[in-house]
Amino acid sequence: MTTKYRNIFYACLACCAISAATTSCSDMLDTTPQGIFTAEQLNGASSEALDGLMASAYAGLEGHFIGNNEAFAGPSTNWIFDVRSDDAYKGGGGTGMEENIHLLEVSEINADNVSGLDKWRNNYWAIVRVHKAMLALEQAGSVQNGDQLLGELKALRAWYYFDLIRIFNRIPYATEHEDLTTKANDEFSRDEIFSFIKRDLTEAIAALPAERHATRITRTTAQAMLAKVCAFLSDWEGVKENAGAVIASNQYSLYPNFGDLSKIECNNGPESIFAMQCSTANNNSHINWANLLNCTYSEGDLYGTGDDFFYASQNLVNAFRTDPVTGLPYLDGSFNSVNVTADYAGTLDPRLDFTVGRIGMPWRNHTYTQGWCRAYDIYGEYSNKKSWPAPEQCFQGWPWGCSSLNFMFLRYADILLLQAEALIETATGNNAAEDEGLKQARTLINQVRQRAANSIDGSYSPIDLDPSKADYYVGLYRDDWDGNLYWTKNQARLALRMERRLELAMEGWRWFDLVRWGNDYLMQTMNKYMEEEARLRPYYQGRSVSANEIMLPVPQVEIDNSNGLYKQL
């Protein structure tokens, strides 16, 4: 990188306060970084100073460093990667608005896409912030709970690198003792970088306390992170070890009602493992900027005039159909043969109406109408819903719909399903009568489905379901079908993959699940989706996903400024 670019890079990272958005880079170069503590301050440091140091590192999870657009276009919530999947459309005012995200949706991948650039920068800015904290701890010498603090920082670093390596094919890697601006992106292979990530998490697990903390990374947080990494690598024994440890800790449980996921009063509750801590205090300084474009248009300006990005696809909505006899999803691929529209009379999984808005249905005690849809003719009606509490709990005006609702990067249902997946993939028998792991997997999947079934309650507040307008029915996978011969390994795999889609819809995970299930599976799923969806969304006509379009290229700006260190591999 050029000297000027390198200086700006570090200056921007050193500035922890969100108010840096109004500070020029030249000002940053001449100003003591806010929120960073020096070794002198940390020597014999007070708990207040240590808390400030860690808050600086954790704040990188917001992905909001300089202005707003880098959080919108390269969001830490990864909603733009749901848009790459079969779960979501870009939304907004039309395909030309934030066209960079539209191009991701239709798999027109190029190195000049600002979403790739902002995603790259957000993670590296966060990594350098973590490294500054690590070095400050090291230079301070003896610090109370220093090993624990270092463990938290290692887990954060692992999270940011993991986010990068599952999006970009080859990335530069540095430790806190190395200068990132001197590292080439082909110095380490993908396998080596994954080994560094796993090493950080393993060391963090050894250093962190076992007892759960509502807002800080502890041992089970790092184990959940490691389970996600192992799943991406198809390291199923690693998943079983780490997801199993999280479950066995007995520190987590599913919320009683699926709607609790969208309640501010449930922040840091028993289902939350790792979350972005959000607050409207201090002039909305720590809100979820990453999702802010996605606030529904809301007729009557209930949330303000939201930008209305991030709509569920018809394909996703159809996936919530259930068999009227069993209450189970359609695993044979026929779920998309019938569209769930206003005249649909079949049975549905209630998670649909907790996840998206549907015209004529309740939305947090209000009625969702076509007037809530900014570009109905282009994107349809299914505005994302999970990220928004009732409008009465949100800030009125700009920033649209901002609230104190945390964003959960990792929640307990995800870990239950990862453990079920690992048990399925390591099963040696062909059915549940022959393999205990397949039985255990069914139990875990049914645990998640039982919560969905328990959530069918039109009186639950705020009201999001209307049993008089929708026939909700969720059944469990039974253990008495043909002596367990129904629950074969292949059937269990289909059930698991569908359950992940339904449970985690619109939470930023679908694309990454498709990626880890293999290029062939991803391309088959996505190309069928684009072909079928083109009947409703003409901009999909002629579109497809190829193997060389799955990973994003290194941003061209980064290559241009790297003095030859970065290559497009």
Side-chain angles (χ1 to χ4, degrees), residues 160-178:
Y160 297 129
Y161 274 124
F162 176 50
D163 201 27
L164 284 164
I165 196 64
R166 62 187 175 168
I167 293 170
F168 300 96
N169 185 38
R170 299 292 290 276
I171 62 172
Y173 183 94
T175 67
E176 70 273 23
H177 296 114
E178 299 172 303

Side-chain angles (χ1 to χ4, degrees), residues 120 170 184-186 553-554 558-559 562 564-569:
W120 178 282
R170 299 292 290 276
N185 73 317
D186 62 352
V554 177
E558 296 294 308
I559 291 177
S562 72
L565 283 173
Y566 296 169
K567 301 177 179 66
Q568 209 65 269
L569 301 169

Side-chain angles (χ1 to χ4, degrees), residues 58 61 155-156 159-160 212 214-217 221 224-225 252 268 271-277 407-412:
Y58 275 93
L61 294 168
L156 283 171
W159 183 257
Y160 297 129
R212 176 178 180 261
T215 62
R216 298 282 282 266
I217 292 172
T221 318
M225 291 178 178
Y252 302 95
N268 301 316
E271 189 159 349
S272 179
I273 297 177
F274 181 46
M276 180 196 306
Q277 302 295 312
F407 179 84
M408 284 189 280
F409 295 113
L410 292 174
R411 60 184 179 91
Y412 189 54

Side-chain angles (χ1 to χ4, degrees), residues 415-434:
I415 299 305
L416 290 175
L417 293 175
L418 283 185
Q419 180 73 341
E421 185 173 2
L423 290 166
I424 292 166
E425 295 302 332
T426 56
T428 56
N430 186 50
N431 57 65
E434 300 172 351

Side-chain angles (χ1 to χ4, degrees), residues 132-314:
K132 286 181 176 290
M134 285 180 166
L135 290 172
L137 277 174
E138 180 181 305
Q139 293 164 8
S142 177
V143 173
Q144 185 178 6
N145 297 324
D147 289 344
Q148 176 182 329
L149 298 179
L150 185 59
E152 293 180 60
L153 293 169
K154 286 182 176 180
L156 283 171
R157 177 170 66 185
W159 183 257
Y160 297 129
Y161 274 124
F162 176 50
D163 201 27
L164 284 164
I165 196 64
R166 62 187 175 168
I167 293 170
F168 300 96
N169 185 38
R170 299 292 290 276
I171 62 172
Y173 183 94
T175 67
E176 70 273 23
H177 296 114
E178 299 172 303
D179 183 351
L180 260 171
T181 66
T182 67
K183 307 291 282 187
N185 73 317
D186 62 352
E187 180 177 356
F188 299 110
S189 68
R190 288 179 60 83
D191 286 345
E192 287 174 315
I193 290 174
F194 273 114
S195 72
F196 300 151
I197 292 169
K198 292 175 80 170
R199 179 184 65 194
D200 263 350
L201 289 171
T202 300
E203 292 176 358
I205 290 167
L208 290 169
E211 184 177 356
R212 176 178 180 261
H213 190 284
T215 62
R216 298 282 282 266
I217 292 172
T218 60
R219 183 181 303 167
T220 49
T221 318
Q223 287 168 325
M225 291 178 178
L226 187 50
K228 294 291 287 189
V229 173
C230 290
F232 198 84
L233 298 171
S234 298
D235 173 9
W236 301 117
E237 293 301 328
V239 174
K240 287 196 291 187
E241 177 183 353
N242 290 284
V246 175
I247 296 168
S249 73
N250 294 317
Q251 297 183 39
Y252 302 95
S253 61
L254 299 176
Y255 290 141
N257 189 289
F258 198 76
D260 292 336
L261 297 172
S262 303
K263 287 187 172 184
I264 293 173
E265 55 265 36
C266 292
N267 277 351
N268 301 316
E271 189 159 349
S272 179
I273 297 177
F274 181 46
M276 180 196 306
Q277 302 295 312
C278 297
S279 171
T280 54
N282 300 320
N283 196 29
N284 300 317
S285 59
H286 293 287
I287 59 174
N288 186 352
W289 287 96
N291 269 6
L292 213 62
L293 282 182
N294 306 337
C295 184
T296 178
Y297 212 47
S298 68
E299 185 175 34
D301 292 343
L302 293 174
Y303 288 96
T305 309
D307 292 285
D308 212 27
F309 283 72
F310 195 28
Y311 267 52
S313 68
Q314 186 67 57

Side-chain angles (χ1 to χ4, degrees), residues 356-526:
V356 304
R358 293 198 296 144
I359 291 173
M361 299 299 290
W363 176 300
R364 317 290 190 231
N365 292 337
H366 300 273
T367 300
Y368 187 82
T369 68
Q370 187 172 326
W372 290 53
C373 308
R374 184 178 185 180
Y376 175 82
D377 291 343
I378 301 173
Y379 294 114
E381 66 182 86
Y382 307 119
S383 181
N384 80 92
K385 192 176 187 180
K386 274 184 180 174
S387 296
W388 311 105
E392 293 77 13
Q393 293 184 293
C394 296
F395 181 78
Q396 300 301 305
W398 171 256
W400 316 129
C402 72
S403 75
S404 297
L405 181 67
N406 288 352
F407 179 84
M408 284 189 280
F409 295 113
L410 292 174
R411 60 184 179 91
Y412 189 54
D414 187 356
I415 299 305
L416 290 175
L417 293 175
L418 283 185
Q419 180 73 341
E421 185 173 2
L423 290 166
I424 292 166
E425 295 302 332
T426 56
T428 56
N430 186 50
N431 57 65
E434 300 172 351
D435 194 289
E436 184 64 30
L438 289 175
K439 289 183 181 179
Q440 294 173 17
R442 181 176 53 207
T443 298
L444 293 169
I445 294 171
N446 278 342
Q447 188 176 340
V448 174
R449 291 188 63 77
Q450 185 64 62
R451 192 263 297 275
N454 294 344
S455 300
I456 302 174
D457 184 352
S459 65
Y460 193 74
S461 181
I463 298 173
D464 285 303
L465 306 182
D466 188 345
S468 72
K469 293 182 179 180
D471 187 2
Y472 300 115
Y473 180 28
V474 176
L476 305 184
Y477 292 100
R478 292 166 53 183
D479 59 8
D480 60 349
W481 280 329
D482 302 322
N484 290 324
L485 298 180
Y486 170 82
W487 191 250
T488 64
K489 183 170 182 174
N490 184 62
Q491 188 78 353
R493 181 184 289 121
L494 292 173
L496 179 282
R497 292 183 178 184
M498 177 63 84
E499 202 62 33
R500 286 192 63 80
R501 189 180 190 192
L502 301 175
E503 175 69 21
L504 302 172
M506 310 296 279
E507 295 183 35
W509 287 111
R510 174 64 173 173
W511 175 257
F512 300 119
D513 278 348
L514 293 175
V515 170
R516 67 185 180 83
W517 291 332
N519 287 4
D520 290 344
Y521 183 88
L522 182 151
M523 289 186 291
Q524 180 182 4
T525 300
M526 288 304 302

Side-chain angles (χ1 to χ4, degrees), residues 329-360:
Y330 292 91
L331 303 181
D332 61 358
S334 65
F335 72 88
N336 204 40
S337 62
V338 176
N339 284 340
V340 177
T341 54
D343 59 353
Y344 177 75
T347 53
L348 289 169
D349 188 315
R351 287 175 289 188
L352 172 62
D353 288 323
F354 287 118
T355 301
V356 304
R358 293 198 296 144
I359 291 173

